[in-house]
Amino acid sequence: MKKIYTIIALLILSATATLRAQNNETEITVTDNKGKQEVIDLPEGMLSEVDSLLYLYNSKTYMKPASDCNMPDVNPVYTKEEYISRLKRIPSVIEMPYNDIVQKFIDRYSNRLRRSVSYMLGAQNFYMPIFEQALETYGLPLELKYLPVIESALNPKAVSRVGATGLWQFMLKTGKNYGLEINSLVDERRDPIKASYAAARYLSDLYKIFGDWNLVIAAYNAGPDKINKAIHRSKGKNDYWEIYPYLPKETRGYVPAFIAANYIMNYYCDHNICPMETDLPVKTDTVMVTRDIHFEQIAKVLDIDIAQIQELNPQYRRNIINGSSQPSTLKLPSTLITNFIDKEDSIYAYNTDELLTKRTEVKVNEDTPVYTKSTKSRSKSKSKSRSRKKRGRKNVTVRNGDTLSEIAERNHTTVARLKKLNKISGSNIRAGKKIRVK
């Protein structure tokens, strides 16, 4: 009996350790001067799995591990004074002070997220020129180019658990407010150029409200209403570190994460992190499309990888450009633009009946059905069978903050079962969506 109790105790300890490890993946714990501990949620960009990032088309095609990096895979330890000195040397108009919370986020980037930092140092060659141009156009501090590092880990296809999408993680309403087209076929939140200019406009508007860049960064994460509430609860204080206790858990870590992102993207060498080597993609150009067209039509006639078309045109959600609705852009390698123009009619004609199946006119079947007794009997039997199957099923609506493990526990099932029933491959689920639990 004693042996059985020992085994049970070991199992409980193991489960507890696993749970702590899982929690540690999504949050950090800081201790203040009085010994009080506080748990802070990590921004979603710090939760991205590097393997999924390396699967992106640009990563697979144009990036590879550094071949000439001989630094040891060891993260050196520095004094508090050294971190303060380095942050002070970053050329920035945005205040980047040091404290224990900032240090926790620097430690996360330089230790557990080393491979992600290596990826982002390579991927920045694709995106930073776009970010900088958009920020420069609106006269904004260029260090804001590192916001997508903590928002999306530089993944243009990123979708958060609440539906924020793209490099800059726009919510649907905010994206539309800033001129991004979002419908069943198009989502310009995924377009790096259009989303960057929309983000720059949004940041500019937030600065007009708050006049302080740390508050602007916090508002970009939580929304201006929550920042105004925190200011009100703190008796009108308008300093991020003063209103800190009144902020949502994730927003408390958002400015420290932004400071840490600026630090690691500038001082990665001091932490023995090697950037991935990058060959820049081929030059591209744009043509206007005035008829509906499927990516496969372009790929087959021009002999181009459909994955490359998807990567160059991420705003199109279903590989269809709805050019008949309004003139729409198609980005291609510059070498193929003339070829597209010369073969345009052939491209539009290729396999149209199979690829563009939405009918413009249909004939209604006006035949009167003839029912027999046996037909009615079979119909009732099928109806009863379907009814029994439906009674055995159960769906629930995903609530804000829900995880698969929490839903599984509430409904007495397993995460593996939920994934199988709903054909979920990852771990992200969207609030408001119905998923099957039985």
Side-chain angles (χ1 to χ4, degrees):
M1 182 64 72
K2 185 177 181 180
K3 188 175 181 180
I4 293 174
Y5 284 136
T6 303
I7 292 172
I8 293 172
L10 287 171
L11 288 172
I12 292 172
L13 285 172
S14 175
T16 304
T18 302
L19 183 60
R20 284 175 179 166
Q22 289 172 344
N23 287 341
N24 202 28
E25 293 294 329
T26 62
E27 60 195 26
I28 63 170
T29 303
V30 294
T31 306
D32 64 18
N33 294 331
K34 298 178 182 178
K36 182 182 177 182
Q37 287 193 333
E38 178 194 10
V39 174
I40 302 173
D41 290 344
L42 294 174
E44 295 224 14
M46 299 184 77
L47 305 177
S48 298
E49 297 177 3
V50 73
D51 291 338
S52 64
L53 296 172
L54 294 174
Y55 188 74
L56 297 171
Y57 180 85
N58 271 346
S59 306
K60 292 188 296 181
T61 309
Y62 302 111
M63 291 171 59
K64 60 184 177 181
S67 58
D68 59 350
C69 182
N70 299 314
M71 292 187 290
D73 189 19
V74 176
N75 183 30
V77 176
Y78 297 100
T79 63
K80 168 184 172 180
E81 289 69 28
E82 182 62 36
Y83 287 111
I84 293 173
S85 175
R86 289 176 183 171
L87 287 169
K88 187 177 179 181
R89 293 199 300 270
I90 293 176
S92 168
V93 299
I94 298 178
E95 185 180 64
M96 294 193 190
Y98 173 90
N99 54 41
D100 290 342
I101 305 170
V102 171
Q103 181 67 62
K104 285 278 188 178
F105 279 92
I106 291 174
D107 291 343
R108 178 64 63 122
Y109 273 126
S110 58
N111 280 298
R112 186 171 300 181
L113 298 179
R114 292 173 67 81
R115 289 183 66 215
S116 294
V117 172
S118 179
Y119 158 81
M120 290 188 289
L121 288 166
Q124 70 175 339
N125 292 305
F126 307 135
Y127 303 116
M128 290 304 167
I130 299 171
F131 300 163
E132 289 175 344
Q133 185 59 58
L135 294 167
E136 184 72 20
T137 299
Y138 286 88
L140 306 181
L142 293 186
E143 50 271 30
L144 290 168
K145 65 187 178 183
Y146 294 126
L147 266 181
V149 166
I150 58 174
E151 282 287 344
S152 62
L154 299 188
N155 177 4
K157 297 181 180 179
V159 179
S160 78
R161 58 184 173 80
V162 293
T165 298
L167 287 160
W168 292 89
Q169 290 289 278
F170 271 107
M171 293 296 289
L172 188 143
K173 181 180 178 182
T174 309
K176 286 191 170 185
N177 286 345
Y178 282 85
L180 298 177
E181 185 178 358
I182 305 165
N183 56 46
S184 296
L185 295 178
V186 179
D187 189 347
E188 290 184 339
R189 294 176 296 176
R190 296 164 58 178
D191 184 317
I193 296 175
K194 290 185 178 180
S196 294
Y197 279 87
R201 282 179 54 211
Y202 184 35
L203 289 164
S204 179
D205 287 347
L206 289 174
Y207 189 74
K208 292 171 187 173
I209 296 172
F210 296 106
D212 176 275
W213 283 113
N214 280 334
L215 292 180
V216 167
I217 293 165
Y220 190 89
N221 172 255
D225 289 345
K226 289 182 181 178
I227 304 306
N228 280 324
K229 286 178 184 177
I231 291 172
H232 178 73
R233 288 170 181 159
S234 66
K235 306 284 193 276
K237 293 175 181 174
N238 60 357
D239 177 273
Y240 173 83
W241 302 103
E242 291 284 349
I243 68 171
Y244 179 88
Y246 305 98
L247 294 170
K249 283 174 65 176
E250 183 179 330
T251 310
R252 292 180 197 175
Y254 198 74
V255 168
F258 173 75
I259 296 171
N262 271 267
Y263 172 91
I264 204 67
M265 298 298 277
N266 280 277
Y267 295 108
Y268 57 89
C269 270
D270 294 295
H271 292 272
N272 294 329
I273 298 175
C274 300
M276 293 191 73
E277 292 180 350
T278 310
D279 294 322
L280 288 178
V282 293
K283 290 184 179 179
T284 61
D285 205 344
T286 301
V287 291
M288 298 305 294
V289 174
T290 56
R291 285 183 275 174
D292 290 358
I293 190 171
H294 195 286
F295 284 0
E296 189 171 327
Q297 293 176 291
I298 304 165
K300 293 295 185 182
V301 177
L302 298 186
D303 192 23
I304 177 177
D305 187 347
I306 195 169
Q308 186 173 12
I309 303 175
Q310 293 168 335
E311 186 69 25
L312 292 174
N313 302 274
Q315 68 272 34
Y316 299 116
R317 307 172 86 162
R318 305 181 193 280
N319 289 358
I320 296 173
I321 302 176
N322 191 206
S324 62
S325 174
Q326 62 180 10
S328 303
T329 59
L330 167 65
K331 187 179 287 186
L332 291 170
S334 298
T335 53
L336 291 180
I337 293 295
T338 302
N339 204 11
F340 177 89
I341 295 170
D342 291 342
K343 298 180 178 179
E344 193 164 1
D345 289 337
S346 299
I347 293 170
Y348 285 123
Y350 178 85
N351 219 6
T352 303
D353 292 340
E354 290 186 20
L355 295 172
L356 299 171
T357 57
K358 196 163 65 172
R359 297 172 294 175
T360 56
E361 185 177 358
V362 295
K363 182 180 178 181
V364 178
N365 183 359
E366 296 177 346
D367 292 339
T368 303
V370 178
Y371 290 106
T372 65
K373 188 174 182 180
S374 59
T375 302
K376 291 178 180 178
S377 177
R378 285 196 302 270
S379 177
K380 287 180 180 178
S381 176
K382 288 180 181 178
S383 177
K384 288 179 181 178
S385 176
R386 285 195 296 267
S387 179
R388 282 195 297 269
K389 286 181 180 178
K390 286 182 179 179
R391 282 200 298 270
R393 296 178 59 162
K394 180 183 177 184
N395 295 325
V396 298
T397 301
V398 179
R399 302 189 297 229
N400 260 339
D402 266 352
T403 63
L404 285 174
S405 58
E406 290 170 341
I407 295 172
E409 185 178 348
R410 283 201 303 269
N411 293 278
H412 310 292
T413 184
T414 65
V415 170
R417 178 68 175 159
L418 289 180
K419 287 186 173 184
K420 184 176 180 181
L421 286 172
N422 297 278
K423 297 180 180 178
I424 298 173
S425 57
S427 57
N428 285 341
I429 51 175
R430 186 178 299 177
K433 182 179 179 181
K434 287 188 179 294
I435 67 171
R436 185 178 168 189
V437 297
K438 185 178 178 184

mmCIF file of all heavy atoms in Angstrom, residues 114-146:
data_model
loop_
_atom_site.group_PDB
_atom_site.id
_atom_site.type_symbol
_atom_site.label_atom_id
_atom_site.label_comp_id
_atom_site.label_asym_id
_atom_site.label_seq_id
_atom_site.Cartn_x
_atom_site.Cartn_y
_atom_site.Cartn_z
ATOM 1 N N ARG A 114 15.879 32.060 -28.104
ATOM 2 C CA ARG A 114 17.086 32.314 -28.913
ATOM 3 C C ARG A 114 16.866 31.945 -30.382
ATOM 4 O O ARG A 114 17.247 32.682 -31.289
ATOM 5 C CB ARG A 114 18.266 31.507 -28.365
ATOM 6 C CG ARG A 114 18.754 31.964 -27.015
ATOM 7 C CD ARG A 114 19.806 31.014 -26.441
ATOM 8 N NE ARG A 114 21.041 31.019 -27.200
ATOM 9 C CZ ARG A 114 21.992 31.939 -27.086
ATOM 10 N NH1 ARG A 114 21.836 32.940 -26.238
ATOM 11 N NH2 ARG A 114 23.100 31.871 -27.808
ATOM 12 N N ARG A 115 16.249 30.792 -30.646
ATOM 13 C CA ARG A 115 16.028 30.362 -32.030
ATOM 14 C C ARG A 115 15.039 31.282 -32.738
ATOM 15 O O ARG A 115 15.181 31.568 -33.922
ATOM 16 C CB ARG A 115 15.518 28.920 -32.066
ATOM 17 C CG ARG A 115 16.560 27.876 -31.682
ATOM 18 C CD ARG A 115 15.984 26.478 -31.815
ATOM 19 N NE ARG A 115 15.687 26.135 -33.189
ATOM 20 C CZ ARG A 115 14.655 25.383 -33.567
ATOM 21 N NH1 ARG A 115 13.795 24.914 -32.662
ATOM 22 N NH2 ARG A 115 14.459 25.094 -34.851
ATOM 23 N N SER A 116 14.028 31.759 -32.005
ATOM 24 C CA SER A 116 13.079 32.698 -32.601
ATOM 25 C C SER A 116 13.761 34.017 -32.945
ATOM 26 O O SER A 116 13.493 34.611 -33.993
ATOM 27 C CB SER A 116 11.913 32.959 -31.638
ATOM 28 O OG SER A 116 11.143 31.797 -31.453
ATOM 29 N N VAL A 117 14.659 34.467 -32.074
ATOM 30 C CA VAL A 117 15.398 35.705 -32.348
ATOM 31 C C VAL A 117 16.269 35.524 -33.587
ATOM 32 O O VAL A 117 16.352 36.407 -34.447
ATOM 33 C CB VAL A 117 16.252 36.117 -31.128
ATOM 34 C CG1 VAL A 117 17.176 37.288 -31.483
ATOM 35 C CG2 VAL A 117 15.357 36.491 -29.950
ATOM 36 N N SER A 118 16.918 34.377 -33.707
ATOM 37 C CA SER A 118 17.733 34.077 -34.888
ATOM 38 C C SER A 118 16.893 34.153 -36.154
ATOM 39 O O SER A 118 17.314 34.731 -37.173
ATOM 40 C CB SER A 118 18.352 32.680 -34.746
ATOM 41 O OG SER A 118 19.123 32.353 -35.881
ATOM 42 N N TYR A 119 15.687 33.587 -36.100
ATOM 43 C CA TYR A 119 14.768 33.663 -37.243
ATOM 44 C C TYR A 119 14.401 35.112 -37.541
ATOM 45 O O TYR A 119 14.445 35.558 -38.690
ATOM 46 C CB TYR A 119 13.497 32.847 -36.966
ATOM 47 C CG TYR A 119 12.331 33.283 -37.821
ATOM 48 C CD1 TYR A 119 12.209 32.848 -39.142
ATOM 49 C CD2 TYR A 119 11.377 34.171 -37.334
ATOM 50 C CE1 TYR A 119 11.161 33.277 -39.946
ATOM 51 C CE2 TYR A 119 10.337 34.613 -38.126
ATOM 52 C CZ TYR A 119 10.229 34.154 -39.429
ATOM 53 O OH TYR A 119 9.198 34.597 -40.221
ATOM 54 N N MET A 120 14.017 35.880 -36.505
ATOM 55 C CA MET A 120 13.545 37.248 -36.726
ATOM 56 C C MET A 120 14.657 38.151 -37.248
ATOM 57 O O MET A 120 14.403 39.064 -38.030
ATOM 58 C CB MET A 120 12.940 37.806 -35.429
ATOM 59 C CG MET A 120 11.615 37.145 -35.065
ATOM 60 S SD MET A 120 10.755 37.912 -33.681
ATOM 61 C CE MET A 120 11.806 37.445 -32.301
ATOM 62 N N LEU A 121 15.896 37.895 -36.832
ATOM 63 C CA LEU A 121 17.022 38.673 -37.352
ATOM 64 C C LEU A 121 17.206 38.432 -38.845
ATOM 65 O O LEU A 121 17.632 39.322 -39.585
ATOM 66 C CB LEU A 121 18.303 38.305 -36.594
ATOM 67 C CG LEU A 121 18.378 38.816 -35.153
ATOM 68 C CD1 LEU A 121 19.498 38.114 -34.397
ATOM 69 C CD2 LEU A 121 18.595 40.329 -35.123
ATOM 70 N N GLY A 122 16.882 37.216 -39.304
ATOM 71 C CA GLY A 122 16.926 36.935 -40.735
ATOM 72 C C GLY A 122 15.711 37.492 -41.450
ATOM 73 O O GLY A 122 15.818 38.113 -42.512
ATOM 74 N N ALA A 123 14.520 37.302 -40.846
ATOM 75 C CA ALA A 123 13.262 37.723 -41.483
ATOM 76 C C ALA A 123 13.134 39.240 -41.557
ATOM 77 O O ALA A 123 12.394 39.755 -42.410
ATOM 78 C CB ALA A 123 12.074 37.146 -40.708
ATOM 79 N N GLN A 124 13.853 39.970 -40.683
ATOM 80 C CA GLN A 124 13.724 41.430 -40.717
ATOM 81 C C GLN A 124 14.189 42.012 -42.059
ATOM 82 O O GLN A 124 13.778 43.104 -42.451
ATOM 83 C CB GLN A 124 14.484 42.072 -39.568
ATOM 84 C CG GLN A 124 15.995 42.008 -39.666
ATOM 85 C CD GLN A 124 16.677 42.779 -38.544
ATOM 86 O OE1 GLN A 124 16.095 43.661 -37.916
ATOM 87 N NE2 GLN A 124 17.932 42.437 -38.283
ATOM 88 N N ASN A 125 15.030 41.271 -42.771
ATOM 89 C CA ASN A 125 15.462 41.742 -44.089
ATOM 90 C C ASN A 125 14.293 41.845 -45.074
ATOM 91 O O ASN A 125 14.335 42.632 -46.015
ATOM 92 C CB ASN A 125 16.530 40.802 -44.656
ATOM 93 C CG ASN A 125 17.821 40.879 -43.875
ATOM 94 O OD1 ASN A 125 18.398 41.952 -43.707
ATOM 95 N ND2 ASN A 125 18.270 39.754 -43.345
ATOM 96 N N PHE A 126 13.243 41.028 -44.864
ATOM 97 C CA PHE A 126 12.060 41.103 -45.714
ATOM 98 C C PHE A 126 11.179 42.296 -45.345
ATOM 99 O O PHE A 126 10.590 42.929 -46.220
ATOM 100 C CB PHE A 126 11.203 39.832 -45.591
ATOM 101 C CG PHE A 126 11.937 38.547 -45.826
ATOM 102 C CD1 PHE A 126 11.749 37.461 -44.977
ATOM 103 C CD2 PHE A 126 12.809 38.396 -46.888
ATOM 104 C CE1 PHE A 126 12.404 36.270 -45.177
ATOM 105 C CE2 PHE A 126 13.474 37.207 -47.106
ATOM 106 C CZ PHE A 126 13.275 36.129 -46.252
ATOM 107 N N TYR A 127 11.049 42.564 -44.038
ATOM 108 C CA TYR A 127 9.975 43.439 -43.568
ATOM 109 C C TYR A 127 10.417 44.809 -43.056
ATOM 110 O O TYR A 127 9.653 45.764 -43.161
ATOM 111 C CB TYR A 127 9.189 42.719 -42.470
ATOM 112 C CG TYR A 127 8.630 41.402 -42.921
ATOM 113 C CD1 TYR A 127 9.050 40.193 -42.349
ATOM 114 C CD2 TYR A 127 7.714 41.333 -43.963
ATOM 115 C CE1 TYR A 127 8.550 38.970 -42.773
ATOM 116 C CE2 TYR A 127 7.212 40.116 -44.407
ATOM 117 C CZ TYR A 127 7.639 38.940 -43.803
ATOM 118 O OH TYR A 127 7.143 37.738 -44.251
ATOM 119 N N MET A 128 11.605 44.924 -42.463
ATOM 120 C CA MET A 128 11.991 46.195 -41.847
ATOM 121 C C MET A 128 12.004 47.369 -42.823
ATOM 122 O O MET A 128 11.585 48.477 -42.459
ATOM 123 C CB MET A 128 13.348 46.071 -41.131
ATOM 124 C CG MET A 128 13.297 45.212 -39.878
ATOM 125 S SD MET A 128 12.053 45.797 -38.677
ATOM 126 C CE MET A 128 11.993 44.380 -37.555
ATOM 127 N N PRO A 129 12.461 47.198 -44.079
ATOM 128 C CA PRO A 129 12.384 48.339 -45.001
ATOM 129 C C PRO A 129 10.956 48.836 -45.211
ATOM 130 O O PRO A 129 10.723 50.048 -45.339
ATOM 131 C CB PRO A 129 12.977 47.773 -46.301
ATOM 132 C CG PRO A 129 13.878 46.667 -45.859
ATOM 133 C CD PRO A 129 13.183 46.057 -44.676
ATOM 134 N N ILE A 130 9.993 47.913 -45.218
ATOM 135 C CA ILE A 130 8.576 48.295 -45.364
ATOM 136 C C ILE A 130 8.118 49.056 -44.125
ATOM 137 O O ILE A 130 7.485 50.117 -44.221
ATOM 138 C CB ILE A 130 7.700 47.043 -45.572
ATOM 139 C CG1 ILE A 130 8.107 46.300 -46.838
ATOM 140 C CG2 ILE A 130 6.218 47.418 -45.622
ATOM 141 C CD1 ILE A 130 7.441 44.949 -47.007
ATOM 142 N N PHE A 131 8.434 48.520 -42.926
ATOM 143 C CA PHE A 131 8.022 49.166 -41.676
ATOM 144 C C PHE A 131 8.626 50.569 -41.585
ATOM 145 O O PHE A 131 7.933 51.536 -41.239
ATOM 146 C CB PHE A 131 8.488 48.353 -40.464
ATOM 147 C CG PHE A 131 7.947 46.940 -40.408
ATOM 148 C CD1 PHE A 131 8.549 45.995 -39.584
ATOM 149 C CD2 PHE A 131 6.861 46.548 -41.167
ATOM 150 C CE1 PHE A 131 8.074 44.696 -39.515
ATOM 151 C CE2 PHE A 131 6.373 45.246 -41.113
ATOM 152 C CZ PHE A 131 6.984 44.326 -40.282
ATOM 153 N N GLU A 132 9.918 50.663 -41.877
ATOM 154 C CA GLU A 132 10.607 51.947 -41.738
ATOM 155 C C GLU A 132 10.028 52.998 -42.686
ATOM 156 O O GLU A 132 9.855 54.165 -42.299
ATOM 157 C CB GLU A 132 12.101 51.758 -41.994
ATOM 158 C CG GLU A 132 12.811 50.997 -40.878
ATOM 159 C CD GLU A 132 14.271 50.712 -41.187
ATOM 160 O OE1 GLU A 132 14.679 50.819 -42.369
ATOM 161 O OE2 GLU A 132 15.001 50.363 -40.249
ATOM 162 N N GLN A 133 9.716 52.598 -43.912
ATOM 163 C CA GLN A 133 9.159 53.551 -44.878
ATOM 164 C C GLN A 133 7.795 54.056 -44.422
ATOM 165 O O GLN A 133 7.492 55.252 -44.514
ATOM 166 C CB GLN A 133 9.037 52.898 -46.255
ATOM 167 C CG GLN A 133 8.571 53.850 -47.356
ATOM 168 C CD GLN A 133 9.497 55.030 -47.542
ATOM 169 O OE1 GLN A 133 10.682 54.858 -47.816
ATOM 170 N NE2 GLN A 133 8.980 56.242 -47.363
ATOM 171 N N ALA A 134 6.961 53.147 -43.905
ATOM 172 C CA ALA A 134 5.631 53.550 -43.428
ATOM 173 C C ALA A 134 5.748 54.490 -42.225
ATOM 174 O O ALA A 134 5.055 55.518 -42.152
ATOM 175 C CB ALA A 134 4.814 52.309 -43.057
ATOM 176 N N LEU A 135 6.614 54.155 -41.280
ATOM 177 C CA LEU A 135 6.801 55.001 -40.087
ATOM 178 C C LEU A 135 7.382 56.357 -40.472
ATOM 179 O O LEU A 135 6.972 57.395 -39.941
ATOM 180 C CB LEU A 135 7.723 54.294 -39.087
ATOM 181 C CG LEU A 135 7.171 53.004 -38.461
ATOM 182 C CD1 LEU A 135 8.270 52.240 -37.740
ATOM 183 C CD2 LEU A 135 6.017 53.301 -37.510
ATOM 184 N N GLU A 136 8.334 56.345 -41.402
ATOM 185 C CA GLU A 136 8.958 57.588 -41.858
ATOM 186 C C GLU A 136 7.929 58.489 -42.540
ATOM 187 O O GLU A 136 7.951 59.718 -42.380
ATOM 188 C CB GLU A 136 10.098 57.252 -42.825
ATOM 189 C CG GLU A 136 10.894 58.452 -43.308
ATOM 190 C CD GLU A 136 11.785 59.055 -42.231
ATOM 191 O OE1 GLU A 136 12.106 58.366 -41.235
ATOM 192 O OE2 GLU A 136 12.149 60.239 -42.380
ATOM 193 N N THR A 137 7.020 57.891 -43.289
ATOM 194 C CA THR A 137 5.984 58.665 -43.996
ATOM 195 C C THR A 137 5.134 59.474 -43.025
ATOM 196 O O THR A 137 4.726 60.602 -43.325
ATOM 197 C CB THR A 137 5.083 57.715 -44.814
ATOM 198 O OG1 THR A 137 5.884 57.036 -45.786
ATOM 199 C CG2 THR A 137 3.976 58.476 -45.523
ATOM 200 N N TYR A 138 4.869 58.915 -41.851
ATOM 201 C CA TYR A 138 4.042 59.601 -40.846
ATOM 202 C C TYR A 138 4.874 60.289 -39.765
ATOM 203 O O TYR A 138 4.331 60.761 -38.763
ATOM 204 C CB TYR A 138 3.055 58.608 -40.215
ATOM 205 C CG TYR A 138 1.927 58.256 -41.151
ATOM 206 C CD1 TYR A 138 2.039 57.202 -42.048
ATOM 207 C CD2 TYR A 138 0.751 59.004 -41.158
ATOM 208 C CE1 TYR A 138 1.008 56.886 -42.915
ATOM 209 C CE2 TYR A 138 -0.290 58.699 -42.026
ATOM 210 C CZ TYR A 138 -0.148 57.642 -42.917
ATOM 211 O OH TYR A 138 -1.168 57.347 -43.781
ATOM 212 N N GLY A 139 6.189 60.343 -39.966
ATOM 213 C CA GLY A 139 7.058 61.052 -39.025
ATOM 214 C C GLY A 139 7.137 60.406 -37.652
ATOM 215 O O GLY A 139 7.251 61.109 -36.635
ATOM 216 N N LEU A 140 7.081 59.087 -37.594
ATOM 217 C CA LEU A 140 7.072 58.371 -36.315
ATOM 218 C C LEU A 140 8.463 57.819 -35.987
ATOM 219 O O LEU A 140 9.285 57.602 -36.889
ATOM 220 C CB LEU A 140 6.066 57.212 -36.367
ATOM 221 C CG LEU A 140 4.641 57.573 -36.773
ATOM 222 C CD1 LEU A 140 3.766 56.333 -36.750
ATOM 223 C CD2 LEU A 140 4.066 58.640 -35.851
ATOM 224 N N PRO A 141 8.755 57.571 -34.711
ATOM 225 C CA PRO A 141 10.048 56.996 -34.321
ATOM 226 C C PRO A 141 10.266 55.633 -34.994
ATOM 227 O O PRO A 141 9.390 54.771 -34.947
ATOM 228 C CB PRO A 141 9.929 56.840 -32.804
ATOM 229 C CG PRO A 141 8.877 57.820 -32.396
ATOM 230 C CD PRO A 141 7.918 57.870 -33.537
ATOM 231 N N LEU A 142 11.433 55.443 -35.583
ATOM 232 C CA LEU A 142 11.679 54.216 -36.334
ATOM 233 C C LEU A 142 11.823 52.991 -35.433
ATOM 234 O O LEU A 142 11.692 51.865 -35.906
ATOM 235 C CB LEU A 142 12.943 54.377 -37.195
ATOM 236 C CG LEU A 142 12.840 55.401 -38.330
ATOM 237 C CD1 LEU A 142 14.085 55.372 -39.201
ATOM 238 C CD2 LEU A 142 11.606 55.159 -39.193
ATOM 239 N N GLU A 143 12.074 53.208 -34.144
ATOM 240 C CA GLU A 143 12.187 52.051 -33.250
ATOM 241 C C GLU A 143 10.853 51.322 -33.090
ATOM 242 O O GLU A 143 10.814 50.172 -32.613
ATOM 243 C CB GLU A 143 12.746 52.438 -31.878
ATOM 244 C CG GLU A 143 12.068 53.615 -31.208
ATOM 245 C CD GLU A 143 12.682 54.959 -31.562
ATOM 246 O OE1 GLU A 143 13.216 55.103 -32.683
ATOM 247 O OE2 GLU A 143 12.613 55.862 -30.717
ATOM 248 N N LEU A 144 9.742 51.959 -33.529
ATOM 249 C CA LEU A 144 8.443 51.289 -33.510
ATOM 250 C C LEU A 144 8.392 50.115 -34.493
ATOM 251 O O LEU A 144 7.456 49.317 -34.463
ATOM 252 C CB LEU A 144 7.325 52.285 -33.839
ATOM 253 C CG LEU A 144 7.028 53.344 -32.768
ATOM 254 C CD1 LEU A 144 6.126 54.430 -33.335
ATOM 255 C CD2 LEU A 144 6.401 52.714 -31.545
ATOM 256 N N LYS A 145 9.403 50.009 -35.357
ATOM 257 C CA LYS A 145 9.458 48.888 -36.308
ATOM 258 C C LYS A 145 9.561 47.546 -35.598
ATOM 259 O O LYS A 145 9.307 46.500 -36.201
ATOM 260 C CB LYS A 145 10.649 49.044 -37.255
ATOM 261 C CG LYS A 145 12.012 48.956 -36.566
ATOM 262 C CD LYS A 145 13.136 49.280 -37.532
ATOM 263 C CE LYS A 145 14.498 49.243 -36.838
ATOM 264 N NZ LYS A 145 15.601 49.635 -37.748
ATOM 265 N N TYR A 146 9.923 47.558 -34.316
ATOM 266 C CA TYR A 146 10.025 46.302 -33.570
ATOM 267 C C TYR A 146 8.720 45.899 -32.886
ATOM 268 O O TYR A 146 8.678 44.878 -32.197
ATOM 269 C CB TYR A 146 11.166 46.385 -32.541
ATOM 270 C CG TYR A 146 12.528 46.494 -33.191
ATOM 271 C CD1 TYR A 146 13.398 47.535 -32.866
ATOM 272 C CD2 TYR A 146 12.937 45.568 -34.153
ATOM 273 C CE1 TYR A 146 14.642 47.643 -33.474
ATOM 274 C CE2 TYR A 146 14.184 45.670 -34.762
ATOM 275 C CZ TYR A 146 15.030 46.712 -34.423
ATOM 276 O OH TYR A 146 16.256 46.812 -35.039
#
